[in-house]
Amino acid sequence: MYEKEVEQLQRIIDESKNIVFFGGAGVSTESNIPDFRSADGIYHQKYKYTPEQVVSHSFFLKHTETFYEFYKEKMMILDAKPNKAHLKLAELEKAGKLSAVITQNIDGLHQMAGSKKVFELHGSIHRNYCVECGKFYDAQYVKDSRGIPRCACGGIIKPDVVLYEEGLDQGTIYKTVQAISNADTLIIGGTSLVVYPAAGFIDYFKGKHLVVINKSDTARRVCSELSIQAPIGEVLGQIKVR
């Protein structure tokens, strides 16, 4: 299945010298981390509040305990392991073919797989800070805490993730734009290109090869040279790094 498309992708990767990967939730669904917008994703499950409401800055401030109930259960999947997509991207970077991974995910699986240059547009569950004194706490501390996780100083701990109503980190934006602008190949994978401003960054690509690997159509039209509608781990797992 997808043999011709995979062969074409292999040719593109073979001739590329500066690949950048831009990925979303679909990269981690094969690691059993639910996405937000698929038929069985978080958005389609029933809660008193919508996930979009819960994972917002104002909700975090007003209903911190409820925020953490949802966040710990649905967004902190700490036993997840990297899948074939994560591992192949790390292999491509090690071989000098891939210069950066840009991810909308907050799970840290790219780093766990061995990727070194990862730009996390929406932050990470693995970084958590006291809002009062700034002390760092890891994900396990937050996951294991009862109710609202608190610092030794008594302050509330906040995850270093970009909630709705919050802006992206300017330094990460700059590095993302630079990486995409300089790439000769951009592979977009596991994202429906719904979330902005993240989805708009692909417009900075001026290279030769644009590839999209996603199980469904993207929300915006992308003039890609190659489009493969399939699970990304299944596709990248067939690629040989040489």
Side-chain angles (χ1 to χ4, degrees), residues 60-234:
F60 174 81
L61 295 178
K62 294 176 185 175
H63 310 283
T64 312
E65 190 163 1
T66 304
F67 167 89
Y68 267 114
E69 284 175 10
F70 177 89
Y71 180 75
K72 290 180 199 177
E73 181 188 353
K74 296 298 180 183
M75 301 182 75
M76 299 190 79
I77 317 296
L78 300 188
D79 58 352
K81 303 297 182 191
N83 60 53
K84 291 178 181 178
H86 299 104
L87 295 169
K88 188 62 64 175
L89 291 167
E91 190 181 349
L92 285 165
E93 181 188 48
K94 190 175 181 180
K97 302 284 287 183
L98 182 141
S99 61
V101 168
I102 299 160
T103 181
Q104 299 172 77
N105 297 337
I106 60 174
D107 50 48
L109 291 181
H110 285 293
Q111 291 92 331
M112 198 182 297
S115 290
K116 305 296 183 188
K117 200 167 183 180
V118 182
F119 302 142
E120 296 171 309
L121 292 173
H122 297 149
S124 172
I125 62 170
H126 297 284
R127 298 188 300 270
N128 305 273
Y129 300 95
C130 172
V131 298
E132 298 295 332
C133 72
K135 185 178 178 181
F136 170 86
Y137 288 88
D138 64 16
Q140 199 65 57
Y141 180 89
V142 172
K143 182 85 168 179
D144 294 343
S145 61
R146 296 183 64 180
I148 300 170
R150 290 190 177 271
C151 176
C153 78
I156 294 172
I157 296 168
K158 182 181 183 297
D160 185 21
V161 298
V162 179
L163 304 177
Y164 288 103
E165 304 165 353
E166 293 180 342
L168 304 188
D169 177 73
Q170 291 300 310
T172 305
I173 290 175
Y174 177 78
K175 292 173 186 175
T176 293
V177 170
Q178 286 291 103
I180 292 175
S181 299
N182 294 327
D184 59 13
T185 295
L186 178 62
I187 300 175
I188 299 169
T191 175
S192 53
L193 297 177
V194 168
V195 178
Y196 281 81
F201 293 140
I202 66 171
D203 294 333
Y204 288 95
F205 178 65
K206 301 175 180 67
K208 185 176 181 183
H209 303 292
L210 180 57
V211 177
V212 176
I213 308 169
N214 198 48
K215 286 170 69 174
S216 59
D217 289 331
T218 53
R220 54 169 293 188
R221 287 193 63 185
V222 178
C223 297
S224 58
E225 172 184 347
L226 173 63
S227 181
I228 308 175
Q229 288 197 354
I232 188 163
E234 191 177 297

Side-chain angles (χ1 to χ4, degrees), residues 44-62:
H44 293 267
Q45 300 173 22
K46 292 182 179 178
Y47 295 96
K48 182 179 177 181
Y49 303 97
T50 67
E52 193 169 34
Q53 285 177 301
V54 177
V55 198
S56 67
H57 179 78
S58 55
F59 194 93
F60 174 81
L61 295 178
K62 294 176 185 175

